[in-house]
Amino acid sequence: DSMDVDGPETTSSIPFESNLPELIQAFCASAQLPIMTSEAEVAEELAAISRWCVRSLKYLENSRDIFDKRFFGAFDRFVKEGKALLEEKDEHDDTAMDGTEPSLLNRLEQEGSKLVADQLDRLDVLSTARNQYVALYKRAKTLLAPGDRRPSLDKLKQIVEESRDFPAFSDDIK
């Protein structure tokens, strides 16, 4: 008498290999109910935090885009979006004052705020480096006069000396 135990058969339309942001997005799309449940609130919170964090990781992984003038505005708007997300969490901080355990949503907001703040600190390092880069560029542009086809050796040495202090891309974030 052998018993065959295979477990329940799954009919999920979401493959197991999906990543968390896609799973959250799928849940939010499928949970379009007129009644707001705690699960839906948690899913919305996770979606907002994970969407922003995924984008922040893309900036941190490819910091060269931040130094491209074409992307200055997009990066600045993204940082403002993160700060607004952080301020929104501070406004909704309704930690349980009566000694009871905070709700799952409240704990998620607290931890999400820490994560967003940490990512903003990292992005601030890149923003500072970008501002130094722009200042160096402007300084080099003023040293090299537009009509001066052959700049003096002293001017070139000065530009090289000033650019030594500029951090290499690999040293931007540690």
Side-chain angles (χ1 to χ4, degrees), residues 66-67 75-76 120-135 166-167 172:
I66 295 168
F67 294 88
F75 176 71
D76 292 339
L120 282 171
D121 288 344
R122 287 181 171 86
L123 292 172
D124 189 45
V125 170
L126 288 176
S127 182
T128 300
R130 183 191 70 185
N131 292 341
Q132 291 171 346
Y133 175 76
V134 169
F166 191 76
D172 284 343

Side-chain angles (χ1 to χ4, degrees), residues 56 62 93 103 105 115 117 131 152 156-157 161 163 170:
S56 72
N62 190 7
D93 186 18
S103 69
L105 181 61
L115 179 61
N131 292 341
S152 69
L156 291 175
K157 283 182 181 179
E161 191 61 37
S163 67
S170 62

